[in-house]
Amino acid sequence: MDSSATSISFIGTTIAVVNLISDSDITLNATGDITANTITANTTLSVTGSGDCSLAGAITGETMTFAITGELKDNSTAATIESGSNTSISASSFSLAQSSITATD
């Protein structure tokens, strides 16, 4: 890995991010709800929350993990979840009717 690569981590109660871009890893870890609109992680995207997670825009990463205790859902607009490798999603319920989820090799 390039030593100049930048990882971004947010740890808190409630997290809301828009246009978050990293050439390395992105970690979102909340004890409450997470709202994410347009996230680009060059390597690993990890989203962990004890509340709900609302997604919008393009959510991309090489490897992705979503571990949500509450609901994983679309925000006001559809989300596209695009993974270059492995994607793991766990949540108590899903409502991603407007979204598309793709993984490419």
Side-chain angles (χ1 to χ4, degrees):
M1 185 167 80
D2 184 354
S3 62
S4 65
T6 303
S7 296
I8 300 173
S9 295
F10 287 95
I11 301 171
T13 304
T14 301
I15 297 173
V17 292
V18 177
N19 293 331
L20 188 60
I21 300 170
S22 172
D23 60 357
S24 185
D25 301 335
I26 294 178
T27 300
L28 305 178
N29 186 345
T31 55
D33 296 340
I34 297 172
T35 303
N37 185 341
T38 311
I39 297 179
T40 304
N42 193 45
T43 54
T44 302
L45 172 62
S46 175
V47 180
T48 305
S50 298
D52 296 335
C53 180
S54 300
L55 302 175
I59 312 296
T60 60
E62 182 62 26
T63 301
M64 294 187 191
T65 301
F66 292 89
I68 307 300
T69 304
E71 182 179 16
L72 183 63
K73 58 188 176 180
D74 283 322
N75 202 340
S76 57
T77 59
T80 57
I81 301 170
E82 301 175 7
S83 173
S85 182
N86 297 322
T87 297
S88 171
I89 300 175
S90 65
S92 63
S93 63
F94 298 88
S95 57
L96 293 170
Q98 300 178 42
S99 293
S100 65
I101 301 174
T102 58
T104 57
D105 191 2

